[in-house]
Amino acid sequence: MRELTYLEAVREAMSQEMRANEDVFVLGEDIGVYGGAFGVTRGMIEEFGPERIRNTPISEAAISGTAVGAALTGMRPIVELQFSDFMTIAMDNMVNQAAKIRYMYGGKGKVPMVLRTPAGSGTGAAAQHSQSLEAWMAHIPGLKVVQPSTAYDAKGLLKAAIDDDNPVIFYEHKLCYPKKSDVPEEAYSIPLGKADIKKQGSDVTIVATAIMVHKSLEAAEELQKEGIEVEVIDPRTLVPLDIETIVQSVKKTGRLVVVHEAVKRGGFGGEIASLIAESEAFDYLDAPIKRLGGKAVPIPYNPELEKAAVPVVADIVTAVKETLNRL
């Protein structure tokens, strides 16, 4: 074990898989000598060469279409989209091709590809480069959706995604890139569809994704000073979703707060809340489920307005206290 940043863990996962399997390659804009928009692929072209670290034209439709075709012929492509907002240009290939082919071919065809993309606000990238659109992709049968929050999870989940025979959308929050955690040197895999309890607690359950996991842990530390024990769960994958871990936690705590950066309206938090309301955990609830999400506005360029557009630690603290009638 040694400490790596999230960004380094993603790079290491790709490099280890490429050494182990010649069918794995990476394609995307400026991923070669430049090393990608956020430096994730930096140095990889020196080891693997331009045939396997393939710079592409500025066309997300061409990139995603090439990946679908390569996957159908037995390759295992890893797409890097510079920003998750650009999924809008790749939607036809991902939604109407990658997600549908296995079903339409009666299971005889498969599309083993990963589409990695940085997501979220906090870097001053403004309205067209800062969105959190994971709920869109979670709505599509045939796609798997992964959203790790730590370096350890990112490496293990990316290996599992590359090895999977289905198309996987792999969201990497930009603010998670510099965050460090202990990561094994050897390759390892974390099963898709297995949540992780980041902190044990008995009073309230928080289910959070991506950077909101870290903000929820900060909120839990503050609340602990007041004698409130919060359990923090990171689903890690939205599709498949480990709802059973959340159900068991809510049965224990009797309260649930769901937090994501994506706009609250239509966000995946609504799905989690509905599943709990439909489950055996509903009878154990002692307070209404609370949902926190981004405001229904484009992400502003102004730094203070950008912060105001998404949940912060203080918002999470307040939500938890509201469920406990402690305000």
Side-chain angles (χ1 to χ4, degrees):
M1 299 283 277
R2 72 277 193 254
E3 203 172 52
L4 292 183
T5 66
Y6 185 113
L7 183 150
E8 291 167 337
V10 170
R11 181 191 299 140
E12 185 167 271
M14 290 191 292
S15 297
Q16 289 180 342
E17 286 296 287
M18 291 178 73
R19 293 177 197 127
N21 184 349
E22 291 188 355
D23 290 333
V24 179
F25 70 100
V26 186
L27 68 162
E29 298 164 16
D30 295 326
I31 64 168
V33 174
Y34 186 67
F38 292 88
V40 179
T41 57
R42 191 165 294 146
M44 291 181 68
I45 195 168
E46 283 79 8
E47 178 175 358
F48 299 105
E51 290 297 310
R52 297 183 71 195
I53 304 294
R54 301 188 69 94
N55 274 323
T56 67
I58 304 174
S59 172
E60 286 75 18
I63 299 165
S64 57
T66 298
V68 172
L72 282 168
T73 67
M75 304 293 283
R76 290 187 177 269
I78 304 169
V79 170
E80 177 174 304
L81 290 191
Q82 286 191 338
F83 293 90
S84 66
D85 314 65
F86 302 162
M87 183 68 77
T88 54
I89 308 167
M91 284 289 267
D92 183 58
N93 286 321
M94 298 311 300
V95 172
N96 290 325
Q97 305 301 328
K100 305 294 192 293
I101 285 170
R102 192 165 191 170
Y103 172 78
M104 293 174 68
Y105 282 75
K108 294 179 182 178
K110 59 183 181 180
V111 188
M113 63 171 287
V114 178
L115 190 151
R116 296 179 34 252
T117 184
S121 65
T123 61
Q128 296 170 317
H129 300 75
S130 302
Q131 297 173 87
S132 299
L133 304 173
E134 64 275 2
W136 285 7
M137 310 317 290
H139 191 69
I140 306 302
L143 296 179
K144 296 186 177 183
V145 181
V146 181
Q147 203 175 20
S149 66
T150 69
Y152 176 85
D153 291 344
K155 181 178 175 181
L157 288 167
L158 185 51
K159 175 174 170 49
I162 295 168
D163 292 341
D164 201 290
D165 284 338
N166 299 284
V168 180
I169 313 298
F170 197 93
Y171 287 101
E172 302 162 8
H173 198 288
K174 305 181 197 87
L175 296 184
C176 288
Y177 277 147
K179 293 191 177 295
K180 294 183 176 182
S181 61
D182 289 336
V183 178
E185 290 186 19
E186 70 273 9
Y188 61 92
S189 186
I190 297 173
L192 304 186
K194 183 61 179 173
D196 188 37
I197 300 174
K198 298 297 187 187
K199 179 185 178 299
Q200 296 278 349
S202 56
D203 296 324
V204 181
T205 298
I206 294 179
V207 177
T209 58
I211 193 62
M212 291 299 154
V213 174
H214 299 278
K215 293 186 179 183
S216 295
L217 289 169
E218 286 184 50
E221 281 187 24
E222 287 189 26
L223 290 160
Q224 197 165 30
K225 297 171 185 175
E226 300 180 40
I228 300 171
E229 296 294 334
V230 175
E231 183 147 294
V232 179
I233 297 177
D234 179 359
R236 301 196 290 196
T237 62
L238 303 185
V239 182
L241 178 67
D242 180 7
I243 191 62
E244 185 57 29
T245 293
I246 301 170
V247 165
Q248 293 306 316
S249 177
V250 173
K251 287 172 67 176
K252 177 176 67 173
T253 66
R255 292 172 173 82
L256 174 62
V257 176
V258 186
V259 191
H260 55 62
E261 181 178 308
V263 172
K264 179 181 175 181
R265 182 183 67 207
F268 197 77
E271 176 69 9
I272 294 172
S274 295
L275 289 169
I276 292 301
E278 294 168 355
S279 77
E280 62 190 80
F282 179 77
D283 289 335
Y284 292 78
L285 286 171
D286 295 321
I289 297 169
K290 295 285 294 184
R291 290 170 52 207
L292 289 179
K295 293 179 174 60
V297 296
I299 297 293
Y301 175 68
N302 177 280
E304 294 306 312
L305 293 177
E306 183 180 31
K307 291 175 189 175
V310 299
V312 296
V313 173
D315 297 327
I316 301 170
V317 169
T318 298
V320 169
K321 287 183 175 180
E322 285 176 350
T323 67
L324 292 162
N325 293 317
R326 293 279 291 269
L327 283 179

